[in-house]
């Protein structure tokens, strides 16, 4: 059954962020690099890392900061299970910047009892949110840049 | 005559208590509604995760993973989830009673991890030491908090500090009915996990509508099936802890609503009784006055 769109659902433990959004293409942050997903993709389960997920709804790409999890694609239905998900234009940039600085400071100080993994994750989350917010502001601009596909 | 004034004072006191219990009841009812909405909102994630897990391990009962490792149980960790506040009827007492019984009957070493101020204070007064404690989860605990707790528990399990982790919390059956429960969190047992996430949660119409027919499809696993599985299982534990905390919260609000509802009713009864007593006292006073007047008049006339 060839189709030219797939349906995207983004779910976090706390709520369903997107449900039944028709997308023409999407780019997901997999644990080993970004991957583009087009309609009629073979069934796949992948683990995702903290990063920016993009999906093409209509003619524009929209960006979303996601916080690590999984994705399942089958029958043109993509289900993304992540700890957190925020659509780019709803991100509070000031807060994200503050979080970024806080995480950087904590990593720089390196106190003895520092939970390194947690601080690192916080840093990545803050970066992802800022990038998603950036993408959202220039949403008419380039969809996927080569940088995202490396 | 002094009796009359005392009764008036008591009526006033009971009435102001009633106002408070009534307000608390209404707040609890509103919180309960929010909690239930959160429990429902948490279901799609849990169900999808469950589907992925089942697809990955199939019906294979002997799951090979450090989090599913069965060891001879030398030490058990009990996570006891109570509320931070009282005024919820027997809510906290029931959980504490179940936990105390479990600790007493346990044949191996035990470690206690209280979640919630009431349980912590109770066990601290009795001289228990805690491996970890959490208080002040707030009225609406988030996934982040549950995740942290889950990670602490998994670390303890993986470092072999404990060989079993159990959760003692209050199962939410309905707004009027809650039941203390004791479930095993670690090691993960896939069969029971299925009952837990599916059986308890799924409303019947979604159970058939939501899931695609599970034809045996070959999936690509990125980066590999093992890697996906080893990140799925911790997530599964996190979700279970989150769900447990949400359920305990919903139960707490339900218990508080019921308790405050009956407190309000009792206050109404008491006001009715006191009003009756007041009227009797008033009537008795009037009767006495009349008889005094009559007696006086007779004495004068005679």
């Amino acid at each position: 059954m060839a189709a030219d769109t797939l349906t995207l659902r983004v779910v976090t433990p706390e709520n369903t962020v997107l449900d039944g959004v028709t997308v023409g293409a999407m780019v997901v942050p997999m644990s080993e690099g970004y991957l583009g997903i087009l309609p009629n993709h073979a069934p796949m389960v992948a683990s995702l890392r903290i990063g920016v997920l993009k999906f093409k709804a209509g003619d524009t790409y929209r960006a979303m900061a996601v916080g690590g999890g999984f994705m399942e694609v089958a029958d043109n239905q993509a289900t993304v299970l992540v700890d957190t998900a925020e659509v780019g234009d709803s991100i509070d940039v000031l807060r994200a910047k503050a979080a970024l600085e806080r995480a950087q400071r904590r990593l720089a100080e390196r106190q003895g009892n520092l939970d390194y993994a947690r601080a690192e994750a916080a840093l990545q989350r803050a970066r992802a949110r800022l990038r998603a917010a950036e993408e959202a502001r220039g949403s008419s601009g380039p969809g996927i840049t080569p940088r995202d596909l490396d | 005559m002094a009796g009359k004034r005392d009764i008036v004072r008591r009526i006033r006191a009971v009435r102001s208590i009633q106002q408070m219990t009534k307000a608390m009841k209404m707040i609890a009812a509103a919180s309960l509604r929010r909690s239930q909405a959160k429990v429902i909102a948490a279901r799609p994630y849990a169900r999808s995760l469950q589907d992925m897990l089942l697809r990955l391990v199939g019906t294979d009962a002997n799951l090979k993973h450090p989090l599913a490792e069965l060891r001879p149980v030398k030490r058990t960790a009990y996570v006891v989830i109570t509320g931070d506040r009282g005024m919820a009827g027997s809510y906290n007492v029931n959980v504490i009673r179940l936990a105390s019984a479990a600790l007493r009957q346990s044949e191996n070493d035990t470690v206690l991890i209280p979640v919630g101020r009431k349980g912590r204070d109770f066990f601290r007064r009795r001289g228990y030491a805690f491996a970890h404690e959490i208080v002040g989860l707030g009225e609406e605990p988030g996934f982040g908090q549950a995740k942290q707790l889950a990670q602490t528990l998994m670390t303890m399990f993986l470092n072999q500090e404990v060989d079993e982790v159990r959760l003692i919390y209050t199962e939410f059956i309905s707004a009027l009915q809650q039941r203390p429960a004791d479930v095993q969190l670690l090691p993960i047992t896939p069969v029971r996990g299925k009952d837990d996430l599916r059986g308890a949660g799924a409303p019947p119409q979604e159970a058939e509508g939501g899931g695609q027919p599970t034809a045996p499809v070959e999936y690509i696993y990125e980066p590999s099936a093992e890697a996906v599985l080893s990140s799925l299982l911790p997530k599964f534990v996190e979700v279970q802890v989150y769900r447990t905390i949400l359920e305990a919260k919903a139960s707490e609000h339900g218990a508080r609503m019921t308790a405050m509802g009956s407190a309000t009713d009792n206050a109404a009864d008491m006001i009715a009784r006191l009003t009756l007593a007041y009227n009797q006292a008033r009537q008795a006073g009037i009767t006495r006055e009349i008889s005094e007047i009559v007696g006086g008049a007779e004495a004068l006339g005679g």
Side-chain angles (χ1 to χ4, degrees), chain B residues 3 46 70 85 101 128 165 235 277:
Chain B
L70 284 166
R85 297 187 299 139
Y128 283 91
V165 179
K235 209 44 77 181

Side-chain angles (χ1 to χ4, degrees), chain B residues 5-286:
Chain B
R5 204 170 317 135
D6 282 347
I7 294 173
V8 172
R9 202 176 301 134
R10 283 202 66 192
I11 290 179
R12 228 178 271 143
V14 173
R15 193 165 287 147
S16 75
I17 290 170
Q18 187 191 29
Q19 272 166 2
M20 279 192 294
T21 57
K22 202 181 211 166
M24 286 179 75
K25 178 193 165 186
M26 283 181 323
I27 292 168
S31 306
L32 174 65
R33 220 168 307 127
R34 267 203 305 277
S35 291
Q36 277 178 300
K38 287 191 89 173
V39 171
I40 292 167
R43 273 179 198 154
Y45 185 95
R47 205 168 304 137
S48 304
L49 198 69
Q50 181 74 39
D51 285 347
M52 272 188 210
L53 190 63
L54 281 179
R55 201 167 299 128
L56 205 54
V57 298
T59 46
D60 188 7
N62 30 15
L63 194 57
K64 284 261 187 315
H65 188 273
L67 284 174
E69 187 192 359
L70 284 166
R71 300 191 285 258
V73 179
K74 291 199 289 283
R75 256 158 98 83
T76 305
Y78 284 98
V79 181
V80 181
I81 304 177
T82 59
D84 280 339
R85 297 187 299 139
M87 304 291 243
S90 54
Y91 171 76
N92 291 314
V93 179
N94 285 342
V95 174
I96 288 172
R97 190 179 298 145
L98 185 64
S100 301
L103 290 173
R104 215 173 25 248
Q105 282 157 18
S106 176
E107 283 157 13
N108 43 275
D109 273 2
T110 53
V111 185
L112 206 55
I113 301 167
V115 177
R117 192 164 284 127
K118 282 287 168 185
R120 183 200 59 180
D121 292 351
F122 176 89
F123 287 107
R124 194 160 61 187
R125 272 199 301 276
R126 273 151 194 78
Y128 283 91
F130 308 136
H132 190 72
E133 61 174 66
I134 296 180
V135 294
L137 270 184
E139 287 311 294
E140 291 183 38
F143 179 66
Q145 292 163 309
K147 187 174 167 175
Q148 274 184 27
L149 173 61
Q151 278 168 355
T152 308
L153 298 172
M154 284 188 277
T155 310
M156 287 174 74
F157 182 78
L158 293 176
N159 290 345
Q160 315 227 343
E161 290 166 43
V162 296
D163 309 295
E164 184 185 39
V165 179
R166 306 189 68 86
L167 303 172
I168 297 183
Y169 71 108
T170 309
E171 213 179 329
F172 183 83
I173 297 163
S174 73
L176 299 176
Q177 218 188 342
Q178 302 89 30
R179 184 169 55 202
D182 174 354
V183 300
Q184 180 179 322
L185 180 71
L186 293 170
I188 297 173
T189 44
V191 181
R192 209 208 74 255
K194 179 182 170 182
D195 289 345
D196 251 13
L197 285 178
R198 269 269 172 70
Q205 82 276 22
E206 268 191 86
E208 44 184 320
Q212 317 90 327
T214 43
V217 190
E218 274 298 310
Y219 273 81
I220 304 167
Y221 288 102
E222 265 316 315
S224 67
E226 292 74 33
V228 172
L229 181 64
S230 63
S231 47
L232 258 173
L233 288 178
K235 209 44 77 181
F236 181 75
V237 174
E238 287 166 14
V239 166
Q240 213 172 336
V241 171
Y242 179 58
R243 196 185 55 86
T244 304
I245 290 178
L246 287 186
E247 244 186 76
K249 259 297 161 213
S251 299
E252 182 185 340
H253 292 312
R256 181 165 296 128
M257 190 180 83
T258 316
M260 289 301 115
S262 58
T264 306
D265 293 347
N266 290 345
D269 285 353
M270 199 170 221
I271 290 171
R273 269 204 314 280
L274 286 172
T275 308
L276 184 65
Y278 171 79
N279 285 334
Q280 278 169 349
R282 192 172 57 94
Q283 190 62 56
I286 292 168

Side-chain angles (χ1 to χ4, degrees), chain A residues 55-76:
Chain A
F55 57 94
K56 190 179 180 189
D59 289 330
T60 51
Y61 272 93
R62 295 182 64 193
M64 186 172 214
V66 294
F70 311 91
M71 181 193 59
E72 178 179 340
V73 185
D75 296 332
N76 282 321

